[in-house]
Amino acid sequence: MINFAIVGAGAIAPIYAEAITLHPEATLVAVCDKNQQTASGFVKQYSTNKFYTAYEDLLQDSSIDVVCICTPSGLHADMAIKAIEAGKHVIIEKPLAMTLEDADRVIAAAKKFKVKATVAFQKRYNRPILQMREKLEKGSFGNMMHATTAVRWYRDQSYYDQDPWRGTAAMDGGALMNQSIHNIDLLRWMMGPVRKVSGFTATRRHTMEMEDVGVAILEFESGALGIIEGSTAIYPTDLEASLSLFGTKGTAVVGGKYIDEIKSWHFLHEDNELHKEDSTFSTSQEGHYPIIEDMVKAIKNDKDPAISLQDGRNALEIILAIYESSKTGNAVNIK
Amino acid sequence: MTQSNTQYTQNKELRFALIGCGSISATHAEQIHAIPNARLVAVADIEEDRAKTLASKYNTDFYTDYQEMLQRDDIDIVNILTPSGMHADMGIHAAKAGKHIITEKPMDICMDKAKAMIKACRDAGVKLSVISQHRFDTATVQVKKEMDEGNFGSMILGECAVNWYRTQEYYDSGEWRGTWALDGGGALMNQSIHTIDLLQYLMGPVESVFARTATLAHERMEVEDVAVATVTFKNGALGTIVGTTSAFPGLSCRLEVFGTKGSAVIENDRLTHHFQKTQDSKGEWYSGGKVENLAKTGQTDSGTGASDPTAIFGGAHRIQIEDMMQAVTWDREPLVNGEEGLKPLEIILAIYESARTGKSVTLSE
C-alpha cells in the first residue's frame, strides 16, 4: 500500500482524494491546510485519520510516501522542494512552478534526493489523446506540418474573486498558465521541442492582473508551425478545448469541451474507422486516477513516472515565452 | 436585399464581359446567366480554345485580346478572372475604357497596383467591386448585423482557420499557380483570403500581425502551403490565423468571433454556434440576461472548397454580382468596393513581411 497525503485542501484536492480512494493500492493518510476548519472538514469527508495545519508537521509524518502539492501555483516549487528534502515522492499539480528558476530547483532537488516526482498532466490519458499519440508514434502522420491548440472556456468574475491569489502574476497566471497549460503540454508532447515563440496576451473581460486571452505562434525544431490560443472569456460557457495535428499523411483533431472527443481522423492508406465508445472516453470520468496509478507503479517498480518534471518545465517555458513576447513585442528563442 | 435585387434586375439589363476563362469563369458565367437582366456578351482569354469553349456554351463573342474586347461599347461590367497578379493592370485598362469592374480576389497582389486600380476607377467614374462572396452568406450577414447593433459587446478574440487541401496536381495545373509573381502567395493569398476578409470585417481593423510561413507538403511551388499568424486588432482584441493547403483530406473552414456579450462560430459558411445576450441586464449573463443560441439551419452558403476548388457554388457570387448591378444603376458604392478589397490584401502582405523579417508588422492604415 502506498500512502498519500494532500497539501492544500482547495478546489483541486477532492479530485486527488477521490482518485487516491479509488485506487486499490493507494491510501489517503493525511491532509494539510493552514485553515484548520478546511483541513478537518476535508478529512471527515474522505474518512482519513490525520490532518495538519503546519506543513512541516506533515512532512515529519513517516507514514507518508507521496505528497500531492495542491496549493496555489506560486507555492508549488517551494513546497515540493520541502517534501522532496523530507524524502517524500511528489505529485505536483500543474503548473510545476511559476518561473524556470523555480522549476530547475525542483528538478535538481528531486534528482539529489532520488524521489519520484511528476506533474499532473492528466489530459495525456484522455483516450482520444492516447490514440493520437499512438498514431504519432507509429508514424501515421508522416512529417508534421502544423498543429494548433485552443482553449475557449468561460470563467466568470466571481471565479477570479473567490481567492485573492487567482489571476495574479505571482501566484496563478492567467488563462494560459492556469487553464491552457494542459493543451500546451499536449502540443509540446506531440510536436517535440520548440525553437521560437511569439505571442500576445490581453485582459478583455475580467478585472484581474493577468490575461484572460492569449494567442501565440510557434516554430518547432522540426520546422513545423503551431498556434496556441487560450481564453477564459468565451461567453457564455465553456465552448471547446482542442488539439489539431496536421502531417503529410494524416490529420487528427481532438476537441469537445474538454479535449475528449475525436472530431477529425484521417490517415492516408489506413483504416480510419473508430469505435464511438473508444473515441469519446475521457479521464474526465476518472480525474487524476491515471496520475495516481502511474505514481504507485513508479514507486513499486522503481522506475521514473511517465510524466517527468522536465515535461512540466517544457510547458512552463512556452507559457513564459508567450508572456515575455507579449511584453517585448519580439519573438522569443527557446534554448 | 435579395428581394429588391431581383425586382431591380428585372427592370434593366446590364451587359457583362469576362476576362480570363479559367476555372472560376464557369461560376461567373453561370451566375450572370441565371440573373434575369444580366447578359453575358463577350469573353476573352489568351488561349483561344478556352475562350471559344466558354463563348459557345453561353452563345457570346470571344476574344484572345481583351483590349480589343474593351473597345466594344455594349459592355457595362467587366469581370476580371485572370491570375491574381494581372488584376490591377487589366482593371486599369478596363476603367480607362469606361467599364465598371468586378475583380476576383485578391484585387491584386501588390498594394501599390491595387491602389492604382482604385484611383483609375475613381478617375474614370466607374464602380469597382472585389469578390468576397462570403460577406453575403446568411451567417456573415446575421453576425455582422448583431455586432453592428452592439450585441456582441467589446470584442475579445477572433480566429480564422482554413485547413484545406490542394494536391500537387492542383499547383501543377497552371504555370502561374504557386508563384510569387502571379499567384502572389499561397494558402493565404489564394485560399484563406476570404476568411481573413471576414475576420477583419467582423472583428474590426487590424493593428498588427506576427507570422510564420513554410512550404512543407508541396514541391515545385515558391509560396507557402502553411501559415500561422497572431493578430492584434485596433480595438484591443486578439486573433489567430492559420491557413494551409496541406491538411489532408481538407477540413472545414472555421471563423470564430468572441465578444464580451456574444460568441459565434461559422463553419463552412454556416453559423454553427451563436450565443448572445438577448435582453439587457446588469451584471453577468446568468444573473438575469437571457442567453440564446441563435444559430439556425437553412442558411445560404457558397459551398466549400475544402478539397475541391470546383465545389465552390455560385449562390453568393450571384448576390455579389447583383449588388454590383444595383450599385451601377443607383450610382452607389458596391458593398465590397476597392477600399474594402484592400483590407485583406494588406493583412496578407503584412503576414508575408512578418514571416520574412521575423518581426511584428504594424499595418499602415
Side-chain angles (χ1 to χ4, degrees):
Chain A
M1 200 58 88
I2 309 289
N3 291 335
F4 285 75
I6 294 171
V7 57
I12 195 72
I15 312 260
Y16 278 82
E18 273 153 36
I20 294 164
T21 310
L22 204 62
H23 199 286
E25 296 171 87
T27 315
L28 180 64
V29 295
V31 168
C32 175
D33 198 288
K34 64 180 180 192
N35 182 320
Q36 181 169 339
Q37 253 188 324
T38 308
S40 65
F42 195 90
V43 292
K44 246 177 244 153
Q45 201 181 336
Y46 292 96
S47 30
T48 301
N49 303 326
K50 288 179 276 188
F51 72 84
Y52 295 94
T53 53
Y55 187 43
E56 286 68 23
D57 294 344
L58 174 114
L59 294 180
Q60 292 190 0
D61 184 335
S62 60
S63 73
I64 296 166
D65 302 307
V66 184
V67 177
C68 304
I69 313 285
C70 299
T71 47
S73 306
L75 303 175
H76 287 179
D78 281 344
M79 296 186 88
I81 290 167
K82 279 185 186 159
I84 291 165
E85 287 172 351
K88 312 295 187 194
H89 306 295
V90 289
I91 299 176
I92 304 166
E93 180 55 23
K94 52 77 194 167
L96 166 59
M98 297 297 289
T99 66
L100 290 180
E101 295 70 31
D102 277 358
D104 289 337
R105 287 198 297 125
V106 183
I107 290 169
K111 200 173 163 191
K112 186 174 166 196
F113 288 86
K114 297 189 173 58
V115 300
K116 312 295 178 199
T118 189
V119 180
F121 285 141
Q122 74 279 4
K123 303 283 182 186
R124 287 197 186 189
Y125 295 95
N126 280 13
R127 183 70 61 86
I129 293 295
L130 289 173
Q131 288 175 315
M132 191 184 235
R133 179 72 190 179
E134 199 181 300
K135 285 285 189 191
L136 187 83
E137 285 175 359
K138 260 177 63 189
S140 300
F141 283 97
N143 295 325
M144 297 313 294
M145 294 180 298
H146 71 293
T148 65
T149 191
V151 175
R152 303 197 177 102
W153 285 352
Y154 185 70
R155 296 288 180 273
D156 54 44
Q157 185 61 40
S158 66
Y159 167 85
Y160 288 106
D161 292 343
Q162 67 181 319
D163 303 297
W165 55 271
R166 289 197 188 265
T168 62
M171 295 299 280
D172 189 22
L176 293 175
M177 186 71 91
N178 188 315
Q179 282 78 19
S180 311
I181 193 167
H182 287 293
N183 284 49
I184 292 167
D185 166 62
L186 295 177
L187 179 75
R188 169 66 177 77
W189 186 40
M190 300 284 182
M191 297 295 287
V194 173
R195 189 187 290 154
K196 204 174 263 197
V197 175
S198 56
F200 293 99
T201 62
T203 314
R204 300 286 294 164
R205 178 186 192 90
H206 300 97
T207 307
M208 61 195 275
E209 185 184 359
M210 293 302 283
E211 82 286 355
D212 60 13
V213 58
V215 295
I217 54 171
L218 303 90
E219 189 185 310
F220 294 94
E221 277 181 12
S222 67
L225 304 178
I227 288 191
I228 292 170
E229 208 182 272
S231 182
T232 50
I234 301 306
Y235 182 81
T237 181
D238 291 355
L239 173 66
E240 173 186 316
S242 63
L243 176 67
S244 310
L245 300 189
F246 301 90
T248 45
K249 289 184 189 165
T251 293
V253 178
V254 176
K257 280 189 183 180
Y258 306 108
I259 198 155
D260 52 8
E261 284 174 43
I262 288 179
K263 293 293 186 183
S264 292
W265 198 255
H266 305 282
F267 295 93
L268 208 57
H269 315 306
E270 278 188 36
D271 178 13
N272 292 312
E273 284 295 307
L274 276 168
H275 298 292
K276 185 76 180 156
E277 60 270 27
D278 282 351
S279 64
T280 56
F281 183 90
S282 156
T283 56
S284 56
Q285 288 144 303
E286 30 179 305
H288 282 48
Y289 187 87
I291 300 289
I292 302 298
E293 161 80 0
D294 183 61
M295 179 54 83
V296 168
K297 275 190 184 155
I299 295 170
K300 278 179 59 186
N301 306 331
D302 191 21
K303 63 172 191 63
D304 293 332
I307 300 166
S308 68
L309 295 182
Q310 184 61 41
D311 291 333
R313 188 190 191 277
N314 290 342
L316 178 67
E317 188 174 33
I318 294 170
I319 294 164
L320 292 174
I322 297 172
Y323 287 165
E324 187 190 333
S325 170
S326 183
K327 240 178 241 161
T328 62
N330 295 318
V332 174
N333 292 312
I334 302 225
K335 279 134 233 150
Chain B
M1 183 165 65
T2 313
Q3 189 64 36
S4 60
N5 270 353
T6 308
Q7 278 168 4
Y8 158 70
T9 48
Q10 281 163 357
N11 294 334
K12 190 190 163 190
E13 184 176 83
L14 287 173
R15 295 151 303 182
F16 287 78
L18 310 184
I19 304 178
C21 299
S23 61
I24 198 68
S25 67
T27 303
H28 284 257
E30 195 181 321
Q31 295 310 317
I32 292 166
H33 186 69
I35 298 170
N37 276 50
R39 189 154 64 88
L40 186 60
V41 297
V43 302
D45 197 294
I46 48 167
E47 284 184 39
E48 187 173 341
D49 283 353
R50 292 209 300 198
K52 218 173 183 172
T53 306
L54 193 65
S56 67
K57 185 169 177 195
Y58 290 95
N59 196 25
T60 71
D61 297 330
F62 70 89
Y63 296 82
T64 54
D65 179 357
Y66 80 97
Q67 305 250 29
E68 192 187 330
M69 182 174 77
L70 291 176
Q71 305 304 313
R72 287 173 63 144
D73 55 12
D74 64 343
I75 295 169
D76 301 301
I77 300 172
V78 170
N79 298 33
I80 300 176
L81 316 175
T82 48
S84 310
M86 300 177 174
H87 291 173
D89 288 342
M90 290 176 159
I92 290 166
H93 283 297
K96 284 181 177 159
K99 315 301 185 200
H100 302 288
I101 297 161
I102 295 175
T103 176
E104 259 299 337
K105 52 78 199 170
M107 62 191 296
D108 201 85
I109 57 176
C110 145
M111 285 297 283
D112 288 345
K113 283 166 79 176
K115 285 177 182 168
M117 171 156 64
I118 293 172
K119 184 172 184 298
C121 291
R122 296 258 177 253
D123 290 348
V126 298
K127 309 289 179 198
L128 171 59
S129 174
V130 181
I131 289 290
S132 186
Q133 76 272 17
H134 294 282
R135 285 203 191 185
F136 298 85
D137 292 344
T138 310
T140 315
V141 171
Q142 182 180 340
V143 173
K144 177 70 174 166
K145 179 175 165 283
E146 298 290 353
M147 283 182 164
D148 287 349
E149 287 170 6
N151 293 330
F152 272 65
S154 4
M155 296 316 292
I156 295 170
L157 177 67
E159 191 220 11
C160 147
V162 184
N163 286 301
W164 278 6
Y165 187 65
R166 292 288 182 271
T167 59
Q168 184 64 44
E169 292 71 48
Y170 167 84
Y171 285 106
D172 292 343
S173 72
E175 293 253 311
W176 63 281
R177 290 201 185 274
T179 64
W180 283 114
L182 285 173
D183 221 350
L188 292 184
M189 187 65 95
N190 192 312
Q191 281 80 21
S192 311
I193 188 168
H194 290 293
T195 317
I196 292 171
D197 181 46
L198 296 187
L199 182 72
Q200 69 83 26
Y201 182 55
L202 296 177
M203 293 295 294
V206 169
E207 169 82 26
S208 72
V209 296
F210 213 137
R212 307 289 302 173
T213 62
T215 312
L216 298 176
H218 296 93
E219 299 163 353
R220 298 185 295 281
M221 73 187 272
E222 300 169 0
V223 297
E224 85 287 356
D225 61 10
V226 57
V228 295
T230 52
V231 179
T232 62
F233 294 92
K234 286 200 162 78
N235 58 22
L238 303 180
T240 65
I241 293 172
V242 54
T244 184
T245 52
S246 51
F248 170 80
L251 299 189
S252 64
C253 166
R254 272 171 51 137
L255 175 69
E256 319 198 22
V257 287
F258 304 106
T260 49
K261 292 200 278 183
S263 295
V265 178
I266 298 173
E267 203 164 347
N268 285 342
D269 315 327
R270 285 170 187 272
L271 199 50
T272 55
H273 172 99
H274 179 186
F275 281 88
Q276 69 186 45
K277 200 149 48 170
T278 53
Q279 65 190 48
D280 201 26
S281 71
K282 310 239 156 67
E284 294 282 69
W285 65 279
Y286 51 83
S287 61
K290 194 175 162 204
V291 180
E292 278 186 341
N293 188 353
L294 301 172
K296 293 188 186 81
T297 50
Q299 306 166 39
T300 324
D301 63 35
S302 20
T304 173
S307 61
D308 176 7
T310 62
I312 298 168
F313 309 139
H317 264 92
R318 171 176 172 162
I319 301 173
Q320 185 163 0
I321 293 168
E322 288 176 339
D323 172 72
M324 181 60 156
M325 292 173 74
Q326 271 191 0
V328 168
T329 311
W330 295 351
D331 192 21
R332 65 152 170 84
E333 282 295 298
L335 187 95
V336 192
N337 65 12
E339 285 78 4
E340 288 298 306
L342 271 185
K343 291 175 180 174
L345 179 64
E346 190 183 11
I347 295 167
I348 292 167
L349 291 173
I351 287 173
Y352 290 155
E353 189 187 332
S354 172
R356 271 196 309 272
T357 61
K359 290 184 163 44
S360 160
V361 172
T362 302
L363 275 72
S364 62
E365 45 207 81

